[in-house]
Amino acid sequence: MKYATPRLWTGMKWLLYAEIGLFGAAYYVWHRMNTNQDFRKHMHEKHPTVLEVFYRAAEFGGVKDARVNDYATWGVENQSSARES
């Protein structure tokens, strides 16, 4: 049982590396969505659920018109108000 401890630490080290990598990837996607309207359009077409989470986080943070401005620029009907009706 003396070998269990080094293997445990090695496993925890790789788990930490994976977590740091995933956090970095999530930050990269959030930063691109926050600064690039064309990327948000791509996310709207390919991954609408991720974009919805982004819009809700922005609205929680006080930016109320991000979704409205994007939809107006893209010529898309505001889908959130259609769901609420």
Side-chain angles (χ1 to χ4, degrees):
M1 199 67 162
K2 66 180 181 178
Y3 296 110
T5 303
R7 274 194 251 158
L8 179 65
W9 285 110
T10 301
M12 289 175 60
K13 177 176 64 173
W14 284 108
L15 184 64
L16 180 64
Y17 291 155
E19 190 172 340
I20 290 170
L22 289 172
F23 179 78
Y27 177 77
Y28 174 75
V29 170
W30 174 82
H31 180 71
R32 291 246 352 239
M33 283 197 298
N34 198 30
T35 58
N36 189 339
Q37 190 177 41
D38 291 333
F39 186 69
R40 287 194 301 271
K41 172 81 167 154
H42 168 75
M43 294 300 282
H44 173 73
E45 294 168 352
K46 302 290 184 184
H47 308 287
T49 306
V50 175
L51 185 63
E52 180 64 26
V53 170
F54 172 77
Y55 284 143
R56 288 186 185 212
E59 290 166 357
F60 181 75
V63 181
K64 303 289 184 198
D65 57 347
R67 181 191 320 254
V68 174
N69 290 340
D70 284 348
Y71 286 174
T73 302
W74 303 334
V76 175
E77 180 181 329
N78 191 343
Q79 298 164 352
S80 64
S81 62
R83 275 187 255 141
E84 294 170 359
S85 310

